[in-house]
C-alpha cells in the first residue's frame, strides 16, 4: 500500500501541531498524589487574590492609590498562574498530555504577558511608595484614579504588544523533531528549543525584551527606593523612619518573590540546559505559583487595613460590634 505525498503532508501537519506536556519525570505513578499540594496552592492563590480584590472593591477606606495597585497585582498574579492550571491537572490526573499548537501559543501569551505586566505593576507600586513618602501632601493629587487606570492599561498593552512578534514567528517554524515539552504548560523558551529552523531572531528578541522590560522596571524600582531612603534618613525620629520604611516592607517582599524565581528560571534555561529536568520543572513552578500564593498572605499580615478587611469579611457581626 502506497501513501500519497498529500497524505504524508497532512500527517506531518497534524503531527507538527500537536505537542506533549511533561509532568514530573520519574514520578508518574505518584502524579495523583503530587496533584494534591498543587490543588492546595492554586486554591490558596485564587482565594487569597479574590479576597484582596473583593475587599478593595467593597471597602471605601481602601479606595486609595496603594490599594488600587494592590488589586492590579492580584489580577496579574491570577493572570499569570491560572492559564497553567488546566493543562497541569490534565497531565497529573492522566487525562491527556496532548496540547495543540494554537492552545499552546495562547497559553504562552497569557503567561509571558502577565509576567511582564506584574513587573510593571511592581514598578508602579514603587512609585506609589515614593510619592507617599517623599511628597505626602501631593499624594492624592498626583496619583488620581484616572492616572492609575492609565498606568494599568499602559502596563498591560506594553507587555501584550511586546509579545506579539515573538509568538507570531512560531507559526512559521517547522517542528520536525521531538514534540515533547519539558513542562506541564507552554513556555516560549521551551518551544523554540524544539524548532528545526533558525530561531536566532526569537532568542535575540527575547533577550532584548527581558533586558528592556524587566531591566527598566527593576532599575525604576531601585531608583525609587534610593529616593525613598534619602527622604527617610532626613526624618529626625527613629520611630518615624521605621514607620515610613515599614510601609514598603510588603512591596519589597513582592519584588523579591517575583524577581528571584524569574532570574533563577532564566539562568537555568540559559546556562543549565543539561541539568536534571526536575530542576527546570521545580524552578518553573516556583516562578508561576509562589507569587500568587504568597503576595496575598504577605499583604494580609503586614497591612492593617487589609487584615481588618479580611476579619470583617469573616466575622462581620463581631467586627462591627467591636467598632461601635
Amino acid at each position: 500500500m502506497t501513501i500519497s505525498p498529500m497524505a504524508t503532508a497532512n500527517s506531518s501537519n497534524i503531527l507538527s501541531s500537536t505537542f506533549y506536556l511533561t509532568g514530573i519525570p520519574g514520578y508518574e505513578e505518584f502524579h495523583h498524589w503530587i496533584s494534591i499540594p498543587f490543588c492546595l496552592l492554586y486554591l490558596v492563590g485564587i482565594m487569597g487574590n479574590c479576597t484582596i480584590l473583593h475587599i478593595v472593591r467593597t471597602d471605601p477606606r481602601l479606595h486609595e492609590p496603594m490599594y488600587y495597585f494592590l488589586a492590579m497585582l492580584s489580577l496579574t498574579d491570577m493572570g499569570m498562574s491560572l492559564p497553567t492550571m488546566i493543562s497541569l491537572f490534565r497531565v497529573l490526573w492522566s487525562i491527556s498530555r496532548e496540547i495543540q499548537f494554537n492552545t499552546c501559543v495562547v497559553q504562552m501569551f497569557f503567561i509571558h504577558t502577565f509576567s511582564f505586566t506584574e513587573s510593571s505593576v511592581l514598578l508602579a507600586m514603587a512609585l506609589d511608595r515614593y510619592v507617599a513618602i517623599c511628597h505626602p501632601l501631593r499624594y492624592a493629587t498626583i496619583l488620581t484614579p484616572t492616572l492609575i487606570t492609565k498606568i494599568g492599561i499602559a502596563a498591560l498593552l506594553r507587555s501584550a504588544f511586546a509579545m506579539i512578534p515573538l509568538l507570531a514567528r512560531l507559526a512559521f517554524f517547522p517542528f520536525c523533531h521531538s514534540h515533547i515539552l519539558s513542562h506541564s504548560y507552554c513556555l516560549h523558551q521551551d518551544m523554540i528549543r524544539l524548532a528545526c529552523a533558525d530561531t536566532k531572531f526569537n532568542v535575540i528578541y527575547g533577550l532584548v525584551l527581558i533586558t528592556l522590560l524587566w531591566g527598566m522596571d527593576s532599575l525604576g524600582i531601585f531608583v525609587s527606593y534610593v529616593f525613598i531612603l534619602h527622604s527617610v534618613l532626613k526624618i529626625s525620629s527613629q520611630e518615624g523612619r521605621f514607620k515610613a520604611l515599614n510601609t514598603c516592607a510588603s512591596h519589597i517582599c513582592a519584588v523579591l518573590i517575583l524577581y528571584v524565581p524569574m532570574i533563577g528560571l532564566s539562568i537555568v534555561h540559559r546556562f543549565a540546559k543539561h541539568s536534571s529536568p526536575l530542576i527546570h520543572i521545580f524552578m518553573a513552578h516556583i516562578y508561576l505559583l509562589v507569587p500568587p500564593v504568597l503576595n496575598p498572605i504577605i499583604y494580609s499580615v503586614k497591612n492593617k487595613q487589609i487584615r481588618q478587611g479580611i476579619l470583617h469579611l469573616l466575622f462581620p457581626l463581631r467586627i462591627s460590634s467591636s467598632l461601635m
Side-chain angles (χ1 to χ4, degrees):
M1 180 178 174
T2 59
I3 300 175
S4 67
M6 183 64 72
T8 304
N10 289 337
S11 175
S12 177
N13 288 336
I14 292 171
L15 179 64
S16 66
S17 67
T18 305
F19 293 85
Y20 298 90
L21 302 167
T22 301
I24 313 295
Y27 296 88
E28 286 80 5
E29 59 186 290
F30 302 108
H31 273 181
H32 285 80
W33 293 105
I34 294 171
S35 69
I36 295 174
F38 278 108
C39 279
L40 293 175
L41 286 172
Y42 275 106
L43 184 63
V44 170
I46 292 170
M47 289 183 63
N49 285 291
C50 286
T51 301
I52 295 288
L53 290 170
H54 176 74
I55 291 169
V56 172
R57 185 181 67 86
T58 57
D59 192 338
R61 296 172 301 170
L62 302 184
H63 292 175
E64 296 180 3
M66 175 183 175
Y67 300 105
Y68 290 143
F69 286 126
L70 179 57
M72 287 184 197
L73 184 66
S74 292
L75 286 172
T76 54
D77 273 337
M78 290 197 293
M80 191 169 68
S81 63
L82 286 182
T84 66
M85 185 171 64
I86 295 176
S87 62
L88 171 65
F89 288 120
R90 278 170 61 86
V91 173
L92 294 181
W93 292 341
S94 304
I95 298 172
S96 176
R97 289 179 55 212
E98 293 185 1
I99 186 168
Q100 297 303 310
F101 174 79
N102 291 337
T103 306
C104 206
V105 170
V106 171
Q107 190 180 57
M108 275 189 285
F109 176 78
F110 280 109
I111 292 172
H112 293 302
T113 294
F114 280 105
S115 174
F116 286 128
T117 304
E118 178 149 348
S119 178
S120 301
V121 170
L122 289 174
L123 171 60
M125 295 176 81
L127 294 174
D128 167 78
R129 292 298 83 209
Y130 162 74
V131 176
I133 294 172
C134 301
H135 304 284
L137 298 179
R138 299 171 56 198
Y139 181 62
T141 56
I142 293 175
L143 292 174
T144 61
T146 303
L147 179 61
I148 294 168
T149 303
K150 289 179 180 178
I151 289 173
I153 293 172
L156 181 61
L157 292 180
R158 184 193 75 158
S159 305
F161 285 133
M163 286 304 304
I164 290 173
L166 202 63
L167 300 183
R169 278 184 58 85
L170 291 177
F172 300 98
F173 287 161
F175 297 92
C176 52
H177 300 307
S178 170
H179 285 225
I180 300 175
L181 298 167
S182 58
H183 300 291
S184 53
Y185 38 82
C186 300
L187 295 174
H188 173 261
Q189 58 267 39
D190 195 17
M191 180 164 278
I192 59 171
R193 180 178 57 84
L194 306 179
C196 44
D198 184 9
T199 60
K200 188 179 296 183
F201 171 84
N202 282 57
V203 172
I204 295 174
Y205 184 88
L207 287 172
V208 170
L209 207 60
I210 290 172
T211 303
L212 286 179
L213 298 188
W214 285 345
M216 288 176 61
D217 290 343
S218 57
L219 179 62
I221 292 169
F222 175 76
V223 171
S224 296
Y225 274 102
V226 169
F227 283 109
I228 288 171
L229 282 173
H230 183 262
S231 180
V232 167
L233 291 175
K234 292 181 179 179
I235 300 174
S236 57
S237 68
Q238 185 175 352
E239 184 182 351
R241 288 197 294 267
F242 176 78
K243 186 176 179 180
L245 288 175
N246 193 47
T247 63
C248 303
S250 301
H251 177 256
I252 293 172
C253 290
V255 170
L256 293 175
I257 286 169
L258 178 70
Y259 278 99
V260 171
M262 182 192 298
I263 294 168
L265 182 62
S266 299
I267 291 173
V268 166
H269 271 285
R270 302 292 177 192
F271 305 110
K273 295 179 181 179
H274 304 293
S275 61
S276 170
L278 290 176
I279 296 176
H280 292 254
I281 292 167
F282 180 69
M283 289 301 300
H285 284 308
I286 287 178
Y287 165 59
L288 290 174
L289 281 176
V290 168
V293 171
L294 289 188
N295 280 337
I297 295 174
I298 289 169
Y299 275 92
S300 300
V301 171
K302 296 295 294 180
N303 190 283
K304 182 180 179 182
Q305 286 76 12
I306 294 294
R307 192 164 60 248
Q308 286 179 344
I310 293 173
L311 291 174
H312 183 76
L313 187 65
L314 295 174
F315 312 105
L317 296 177
R318 187 181 302 177
I319 300 298
S320 298
S321 60
S322 65
L323 292 175
M324 290 178 64

